[in-house]
Amino acid sequence: MALSRRTFSALSGSAALGLALGGSGGTGAPSAYAARSVPTGPTPAPPRADGEHHTIGYDRYSLLVDGRRLVVWSGELHPFRLPSPALWRDVLQKMRAHGYNAVSVYVAWNYHSPAPGTYDFSGVRDLDLFLRTAAETGLYVILRPGPYINAEVDGGGFPGWLTATKGRARSADPTYLGHVDEWLTHVNRIAREHLFTQGRGTVLLYQIENEYDARVDSADSRAYMSHLYKKVRADGIDVPLFHNDKGRNGYWTPGSFDTAGERGGWLYGFDGYPSPSQTPPDWGTFGPGGAKGGASASPTTPGFVPEFGGGWFDPWGGSFYDGKGYAEARRTRDSAYERRFYLTNLANGITLHNVYMTFGGTSWGWLPAPVVYTSYDYGAAIDEARNVTAKIAPMHQLGHLLQRVPDFAKLDRAADVHAEGLKVYHLTNPDTGAHVYIARNDAAEPVAADLPTAEGRVRITVPGKDAKLLATGLSLGRRKLKYATVQPTMCLTAGRQDVAVFTGRKGEMAELVLECDTDPDVMRLDPEAAWGVDDSGLHVNAPLGQSGLIRVLVEKGDAGTPLLLLFADDATSVRLFPYDTPSGSLLVYGPQLLRHVELRGSEVHLTGDITDPTSVEVWGPRGISGLVWNGRRLATRVTMSGSLMTTAMLPAVPDVRLPALGKWRMRRENPEVGPGYDDSKWKRADKKTSYSTSAVPDGQPVLFADDYGFHYGDVWYRGVFDDSSGISEVALGYSTGTQGLLMAWLDGEPLGTHRMPVPDAATIRKGTWSDTAAFPVRDALRSPGRHVLSVLVRRMQHDQDGKSDDTHKAARGLTAAVFKGASPKVSWRIQGEGRPDPVRGPLNNGGLHGERSGWHLPGFQDGDWESVALPRAERYQGVTWYRTAFRLAVPGDVDASIGLTLQDDPYRAYRAQIFLNGWNMGQYINNVGPQHTFALPNGVLRTRGENTLALAVLSEFTTLSGPGEVRLTLLGKAAGGLVVS
């Protein structure tokens, strides 16, 4: 058999302890690498769907892709939290440009399955499209389809209908496993068409279950995990599988459950969300070891954190961040936090690192679990409005370093090193002899110290609560670095020269020394740099951040290939973008974002984004002589550094003008409260038993909404009984998620409103809230004859099932009705959401009359509604709808991110459900917060055309109610962007 070069490379590589999955042996058939270590060498090329077969193996250091070492630098993105498929590409391109080589994605069962046996992967739920887009962007995919995902989504991702089924979830119960198998069959049918092993896509790893830490020693739990493993393999998924251990427990390491005799296809992973007030933990090489020591729980597999804190969620009321919201999350878990914690992970041998979240997005509609509000911004490096924040700098620098400098894929612990006032980690690459030092300052004030290195003592300064990575003995193309006081960020060959980039903090003086036995020719291309040669080598100094990029060209001497040294502070570094093409690598400097590069003859065609006036500079393959930016040819010149640079600045993004919102129309609803309302088509609430974990109160029918097929949003009840003469009080038991609410009427007259308390530090994680709302019955409402008790419950969604106790099955809605002074026999009917929206999916609509009647939809005729102006100040119990239309005219070459802001007197007790063009974009609770601005994603929002905005306002009657001020807010803008449908 003739071997292709790719096949030969894969076979000649090896893994001491790993197995390569896939190949000619059929689905999941393993083939062992030769039992010798894999040397440090070039990293794998960016992944794509190339039609070739690939191997994925591992040893204790790293993954091995086609026999080459791969460090996975991944970011978490949930497609279901961005309901605009065109914007998936936008965020993925931002991730790739800023150093990520992988994206990790949950697939939420509830998002795709509105009913048993029904699965929808169309439109905004098109998983196939997302996986194709990731491959086209050049990112590996870590696929995480559950069946349980947690993720602060309703029910932890379980579909609402699962709450009304028998058998315990997350167990080997046959009924549950039947549903799971059906779900996985549908997901895996798509996933196997995108496996990297088969050359069809870039799915690199696949997770089964998530944070499954209940009853791990039981035969049932082991059987459950074994079932999932075998099911996924039977469905044709042949990439390595893993589980995400909740904390460092050593649960589900290789060999802990039956994998049908397959060895080498399972990785141990664990997660961690350390607080910024903590000292960064050692979860690996430098840690205490053992089963609870992180990576040391599985010493034969590479260190893997499937989730590491890129921020943190915020609960209703905002108690995590003192009501300041996600801006405070981003401030407290900032760039310095990332350097301290992520560099500590790198020092501890973590070579599979996924940042949760990198883009948080929006828990729109009824997606959010009870513990969070609508925004899932998370304080992430890319904010909810798709803006790249200052937090991207460490991700950008480390990501490109790990992709472009292969030494970091294979590091051993080296001799301990001490520097006064600093925690120092010392590692070395056994193949190249390079040394890596991570110096961490856990104190609040800067520390200056002498760092002992393999090249002698080096004076460094580390800011307070920060960290620094330094290296000695690194190869910079054909030359060797002795040491540098700033971090290497990338090294690549562009045309006839090598290019090395070093980065640090603004105001820092970079000092770099190159080995040189023969004096080189050195050219200072920017006046800020200084250089000199002595017996110890070539010394280069550059003050970072004074005037952008600093360039120094080194020629001749020990190597015939020139070396271009580039020095950048954080803000400058994130405008340096490497890009690989079939004709060679390029480095682009200047724009806010580089999306794509193509070489067409002698022209370089670039697409990307610009916010401020900038030049564009390109180092690339020989022969390039022209630049085309977003389809426009630019005048250029050749610089002394060998780059092609624009002769004029590209202009800043133009202004974006937003209209004021006016011409509101208003209509009250609640016809359900009227005694004569026809509820004959509603379901009878007369069941006697339930699969819920909540007990059915004695003497009461089952009133739980899920038992009648109503799983999302609001639910209405109407109870008919005879004779209210002796009734002095009605006590209504109900159960909801956080900030649930109940409103009651008797014969159309309001009895009152009851709301669950705002969570505090002790109840932040409480997912199910139960209480009894007791309402006195006025004399005027007491009489013989027929009476109707109407109740509206805002259920606030299902709890997650983090402890595998079926907590997602806790009751939602009304649970009991008790009368004081009499005991009437009540006949109950119930009504919730209608049929699932075929475009927006099952989690878009609840059970309000206006939702069931289409009042939220763009085409609804509201001409007979009352014309009103905002702000409003009314006292009313119930639901009032407000609608308006507005037109946007954002220029076609501008990507504008727009939000809706609501503000009012914080004392006023009301909430508003926000609908844009029929899409339920979230819930605003005026007197709770902390969220006031709601992102409106392009695609849902028509940035060039007509839009319909509807607000469904629930007023509690206890105070005056709004809405108050409602306005559009510009959240970000860039010249460029993508075409959005």
Side-chain angles (χ1 to χ4, degrees):
M1 179 185 72
L3 295 180
S4 69
R5 178 172 296 178
R6 179 182 298 276
T7 305
F8 179 78
S9 297
L11 292 175
S12 63
S14 61
L17 298 166
L19 293 172
L21 298 173
S24 60
T27 299
S31 59
Y33 283 132
R36 64 179 187 273
S37 65
V38 174
T40 300
T43 56
R48 60 191 179 92
D50 57 8
E52 301 274 353
H53 282 258
H54 298 274
T55 59
I56 306 170
Y58 61 84
D59 63 9
R60 68 183 180 89
Y61 293 106
S62 71
L63 286 186
L64 299 162
V65 171
D66 296 331
R68 295 183 176 188
R69 293 199 174 279
L70 175 72
V71 178
V72 175
W73 195 247
S74 171
E76 189 84 11
L77 158 66
H78 299 155
F80 54 82
R81 284 189 160 114
L82 185 58
S84 177
L87 296 184
W88 298 343
R89 187 180 300 273
D90 173 70
V91 178
L92 291 171
Q93 287 183 342
K94 287 170 178 170
M95 291 175 63
R96 187 212 60 79
H98 288 296
Y100 296 91
N101 62 0
V103 58
S104 173
V105 291
Y106 275 136
V107 188
W109 189 355
N110 58 6
Y111 193 58
H112 296 276
S113 182
T118 302
Y119 294 88
D120 185 354
F121 288 89
S122 65
V124 297
R125 297 166 296 281
D126 193 340
L127 178 62
D128 180 80
L129 173 60
F130 180 86
L131 296 176
R132 290 202 314 270
T133 305
E136 290 163 5
T137 309
L139 292 172
Y140 293 106
V141 174
I142 301 172
L143 194 64
R144 308 207 289 161
Y148 179 78
I149 65 172
N150 192 281
E152 288 76 56
V153 295
D154 175 61
F158 282 154
W161 55 261
L162 195 69
T163 63
T165 61
K166 69 177 182 178
R168 183 167 59 82
R170 309 183 76 185
S171 77
D173 176 85
T175 301
Y176 168 69
L177 289 181
H179 295 309
V180 165
D181 284 353
E182 190 173 75
W183 161 241
L184 291 178
T185 294
H186 284 83
V187 173
N188 293 339
R189 185 177 296 145
I190 298 169
R192 68 172 173 252
E193 296 304 315
H194 297 272
L195 297 174
F196 183 65
T197 46
Q198 304 300 319
R200 297 172 181 166
T202 57
V203 173
L204 181 76
L205 303 171
Y206 181 112
Q207 177 177 315
I208 62 173
E209 253 291 349
N210 184 64
E211 298 181 333
Y212 184 53
D213 62 353
R215 297 171 286 275
V216 295
D217 294 326
S218 70
D220 180 84
S221 290
R222 289 193 298 271
Y224 173 47
M225 290 294 283
S226 180
H227 178 94
L228 295 177
Y229 190 102
K230 294 171 186 176
K231 167 62 179 171
V232 170
R233 284 288 187 246
D235 283 348
I237 307 302
D238 63 2
V239 300
L241 309 182
F242 70 96
H243 166 265
N244 175 35
D245 191 1
K246 186 178 183 179
R248 281 78 33 219
N249 302 299
Y251 296 156
W252 309 119
T253 55
S256 58
F257 63 95
D258 177 24
T259 56
E262 182 180 81
R263 298 181 61 190
W266 181 256
L267 298 173
Y268 172 68
F270 61 93
D271 65 17
Y273 292 89
S275 164
S277 63
Q278 291 179 277
T279 300
D282 292 320
W283 289 335
T285 301
F286 288 82
K292 297 186 180 298
S296 60
S298 181
T300 63
T301 60
F304 185 9
V305 281
E307 295 180 24
F308 194 84
W312 190 244
F313 66 82
D314 198 25
W316 285 106
S319 58
F320 268 144
Y321 304 114
D322 299 324
K324 299 175 183 177
Y326 286 115
E328 185 70 1
R330 192 167 286 110
R331 186 190 70 80
T332 55
R333 291 167 170 82
D334 59 2
S335 294
Y337 169 91
E338 292 176 316
R339 282 187 291 270
R340 288 177 70 217
F341 286 81
Y342 301 171
L343 286 175
T344 299
N345 282 350
L346 181 62
N348 275 273
I350 308 297
T351 57
L352 290 88
H353 195 282
N354 179 53
V355 178
Y356 189 107
M357 299 290 297
T358 291
F359 170 78
T362 306
S363 297
W364 58 282
W366 296 107
L367 265 171
V371 293
V372 291
Y373 47 89
T374 298
S375 175
Y376 201 67
D377 178 282
Y378 219 77
I382 303 174
D383 71 16
E384 187 179 9
R386 299 179 291 110
N387 297 307
V388 174
T389 71
K391 286 184 63 169
I392 206 70
M395 308 308 300
H396 181 103
Q397 295 160 7
L398 286 170
H400 287 305
L401 172 70
L402 297 172
Q403 291 184 59
R404 301 277 168 182
V405 182
D407 304 66
F408 288 86
K410 187 179 182 181
L411 293 174
D412 288 323
R413 182 173 180 174
D416 288 348
V417 168
H418 302 281
E420 187 174 355
L422 300 174
K423 168 72 174 178
V424 180
Y425 299 89
H426 179 203
L427 304 107
T428 187
N429 184 295
D431 301 324
T432 67
H435 290 257
V436 175
Y437 304 86
I438 292 169
R440 196 181 74 217
N441 180 4
D442 294 324
E445 299 300 321
V447 170
D450 290 329
L451 176 68
T453 75
E455 296 294 336
R457 291 188 172 272
V458 177
R459 188 72 173 175
I460 61 170
T461 300
V462 182
K465 298 291 184 180
D466 209 331
K468 178 177 285 192
L469 182 151
L470 304 98
T472 66
L474 273 184
S475 294
L476 303 180
R478 283 76 170 174
R479 301 172 195 265
K480 182 148 289 190
L481 173 73
K482 289 193 72 171
Y483 72 84
T485 61
V486 286
Q487 177 183 308
T489 294
M490 65 185 84
C491 186
L492 67 155
T493 299
R496 297 179 179 177
Q497 65 184 354
D498 298 322
V499 182
V501 179
F502 290 82
T503 58
R505 312 295 77 77
K506 183 175 182 179
E508 183 175 5
M509 177 61 74
E511 179 187 353
L512 177 147
V513 180
L514 285 180
E515 288 184 4
C516 59
D517 295 327
T518 305
D519 288 358
D521 291 345
V522 183
M523 189 178 302
R524 182 181 63 177
L525 302 177
D526 291 286
E528 294 82 5
W531 65 274
V533 178
D534 61 20
D535 291 342
S536 62
L538 168 63
H539 295 250
V540 180
N541 294 86
L544 303 183
Q546 288 192 3
S547 59
L549 193 63
I550 298 174
R551 308 158 182 83
V552 176
L553 181 63
V554 182
E555 297 181 293
K556 300 182 180 177
D558 293 347
T561 302
L563 171 64
L564 179 64
L565 296 170
L566 302 179
F567 297 91
D569 68 337
D570 291 338
T572 303
S573 74
V574 298
R575 301 180 85 150
L576 280 163
F577 303 101
Y579 201 100
D580 296 313
T581 76
S583 300
S585 299
L586 296 93
L587 182 63
V588 178
Y589 171 58
Q592 195 80 14
L593 177 68
L594 179 70
R595 294 184 182 274
H596 186 64
V597 178
E598 285 186 21
L599 294 181
R600 302 176 190 172
S602 61
E603 285 187 330
V604 182
H605 288 249
L606 311 173
T607 59
D609 295 359
I610 288 174
T611 56
D612 306 316
T614 185
S615 60
V616 175
E617 187 172 8
V618 178
W619 294 270
R622 290 178 290 176
I624 62 172
S625 59
L627 288 185
V628 180
W629 175 259
N630 288 346
R632 173 188 164 201
R633 284 183 172 80
L634 306 176
T636 60
R637 63 183 176 87
V638 178
T639 73
M640 297 185 71
S641 70
S643 66
L644 202 59
M645 186 182 221
T646 55
T647 58
M649 302 286 277
L650 276 67
V653 58
D655 289 339
V656 173
R657 298 180 182 275
L658 301 179
L661 298 176
K663 298 183 178 179
W664 290 92
R665 291 186 174 273
M666 180 270 285
R667 184 172 181 177
R668 290 179 176 171
E669 56 153 80
N670 311 336
E672 299 92 340
V673 308
Y677 178 80
D678 181 7
D679 60 16
S680 60
K681 294 182 179 180
W682 288 20
K683 292 186 178 181
R684 293 185 181 275
D686 55 5
K687 293 185 177 183
K688 302 299 183 184
T689 61
S690 172
Y691 292 122
S692 172
T693 53
S694 301
V696 179
D698 291 341
Q700 300 279 337
V702 175
L703 296 175
F704 312 157
D706 287 297
D707 286 72
Y708 298 96
F710 302 121
H711 307 302
Y712 304 116
D714 300 295
V715 61
W716 276 99
Y717 298 84
R718 282 171 56 88
V720 177
F721 62 94
D722 290 326
D723 196 353
S724 65
S725 301
I727 299 174
S728 61
E729 182 182 271
V730 176
L732 301 172
Y734 73 117
S735 179
T736 71
T738 309
Q739 279 300 284
L741 174 145
L742 177 147
M743 295 177 174
W745 294 259
L746 183 58
D747 298 332
E749 294 297 318
L751 295 179
T753 297
H754 186 279
R755 176 168 54 86
M756 299 296 181
V758 179
D760 57 21
T763 56
I764 285 172
R765 296 179 180 274
K766 184 177 178 179
T768 292
W769 300 68
S770 299
D771 207 342
T772 298
F775 301 114
V777 177
R778 303 187 303 276
D779 290 345
L781 297 175
R782 302 177 193 173
S783 66
R786 178 180 180 272
H787 295 275
V788 178
L789 176 63
S790 301
V791 182
L792 172 65
V793 179
R794 175 146 290 184
R795 18 176 316 133
M796 299 300 283
Q797 297 316 97
H798 306 92
D799 194 4
Q800 300 177 109
D801 191 24
K803 291 297 182 184
S804 308
D805 289 327
D806 267 356
T807 47
H808 65 292
K809 292 184 178 180
R812 290 296 183 262
L814 200 60
T815 57
V818 177
F819 299 85
K820 184 179 290 187
S823 299
K825 181 177 176 58
V826 183
S827 175
W828 288 101
R829 287 185 181 267
I830 183 173
Q831 175 66 54
E833 75 271 19
R835 288 178 295 179
D837 187 307
V839 174
R840 301 164 184 89
L843 291 108
N844 194 71
N845 295 353
L848 295 179
H849 171 81
E851 291 174 292
R852 303 196 309 272
S853 302
W855 292 9
H856 61 299
L857 296 173
F860 181 78
Q861 299 300 309
D862 59 10
D864 60 343
W865 287 23
E866 179 184 351
S867 296
V868 297
L870 301 185
R872 301 281 289 176
E874 295 186 299
R875 190 178 296 274
Y876 176 66
Q877 177 178 296
V879 186
T880 307
W881 284 75
Y882 298 84
R883 286 172 53 94
T884 190
F886 61 92
R887 177 172 288 276
L888 294 176
V890 177
D893 59 350
V894 172
D895 178 8
S897 185
I898 296 168
L900 185 75
T901 299
L902 298 89
Q903 288 182 319
D904 205 346
D905 180 344
Y907 174 71
R908 293 182 177 177
Y910 69 91
R911 56 186 69 191
Q913 206 69 25
I914 300 164
F915 293 91
L916 175 70
N917 297 326
W919 295 80
N920 182 346
M921 295 315 304
Q923 181 175 191
Y924 168 74
I925 306 184
N926 180 68
N927 58 328
V928 175
Q931 186 173 6
H932 288 269
T933 296
F934 295 76
L936 308 175
N938 298 346
V940 173
L941 177 73
R942 301 184 182 101
T943 57
R944 288 172 290 282
E946 187 85 1
N947 294 276
T948 299
L949 177 64
L951 304 178
V953 177
L954 273 70
S955 306
E956 298 185 19
F957 195 72
T958 54
T959 70
L960 290 174
S961 172
E965 180 185 7
V966 181
R967 68 179 187 276
L968 298 174
T969 303
L970 184 64
L971 303 178
K973 60 176 181 174
L978 296 169
V979 176
V980 177
S981 58

